[in-house]
Amino acid sequence: MKVKTILIIVGIIIIGYIGINIFIDSNTEFSKTVISEASVLASDACIEMKQYDSALYFADLALKKNESDTRALERKINAYTELSDYDRALDNYDHILEVNNGELTTEMWLGKGKLHARLGQDEMFVNCYEEAIKDYSNILTKNPGDNTTLIQMGSLLGKLQRYDEALGCYDSLLGRDQENAALWIGKGDAHFYKFLKEQGKLRDLYKNMTSRKETKKDVSFNPYDCHRQAIECYKKAVELDPMCYPLVVAKILGTYEETIEGYQDILEDL
């Protein structure tokens, strides 16, 4: 939407707001509803124009009429997030939780989790994402064939380093659509990041053995197999869509230097 159009809309809303206060008793339910609606619309327009302080002002106008207006609280979350004031944004998420008796939409759990991640609050970040996983699981219980939810769940499980579960999602999806390059990329990513995680375990194992903390250890994982399977998935994706090739190369080369350094450390420990 063009800025000029947005300004006109905001102007109409403000005029309407002033008129309402002059001609209507502000204590009636009708006036409260109209003012709240106008304020939320004005907040939306201000966010669109990146006028975040004004967006907060209008959201607060709506909350004066109804302190449980979750729409206004969502606008405040958006504005505070854009202003990088993550603590205040999280305060408004907590307010919505109070209003909704501890419930948030899946999108809100994800948004709240991202803010905790930006603040380095790993435990809270994981808790929020786990709540989103529960929502996805509930949806899939009712509709196992919901591919969109399966894709979202697979991606989220990967972010939580629950790679085997993520692979289960991608296997289910590929069982229905073997020709989808994006799904092969997703499955490859799950294998590849599992490889990186297991590689760290392998390095720790070598350090323990060389420091004589342990003399023998049964290796219950195979990071090299994870890497092989990741490459196979990426190759399949490129076969289906050659335009994936630069993306695949970037993913692999992006960790190449780190991998070499890791194994150099292992060799030095031996």
Side-chain angles (χ1 to χ4, degrees), residues 125-173:
F125 153 73
V126 170
N127 289 343
C128 289
Y129 273 35
E130 293 287 359
E131 290 294 333
I133 291 291
K134 291 178 185 177
D135 289 346
Y136 288 144
S137 296
N138 290 335
I139 293 171
L140 291 171
T141 297
K142 299 175 183 177
N143 185 10
D146 188 337
N147 287 355
T148 300
T149 298
L150 258 180
I151 291 171
Q152 293 170 335
M153 186 172 179
S155 176
L156 194 56
L157 286 166
K159 292 176 182 178
L160 291 172
Q161 298 186 24
R162 291 163 58 177
Y163 300 119
D164 289 331
E165 294 173 78
L167 287 168
C169 291
Y170 287 114
D171 284 338
S172 296
L173 289 160

Side-chain angles (χ1 to χ4, degrees), residues 244-264:
C244 291
Y245 183 74
L247 174 64
V248 169
V249 172
K251 287 175 181 289
I252 296 174
L253 292 183
T255 59
Y256 178 76
E257 184 176 347
E258 179 182 349
T259 301
I260 294 299
E261 291 177 355
Y263 280 108
Q264 182 63 36

Side-chain angles (χ1 to χ4, degrees), residues 32-46:
K32 289 180 181 179
T33 299
V34 174
I35 292 171
S36 293
E37 292 294 333
S39 298
V40 169
L41 287 172
S43 186
D44 279 336
C46 291

Side-chain angles (χ1 to χ4, degrees), residues 27 35 65 98 102 107 160 184 221:
N27 290 321
I35 292 171
K65 300 302 176 183
E98 291 175 8
E107 291 72 22
L160 291 172
W184 285 107
F221 52 86

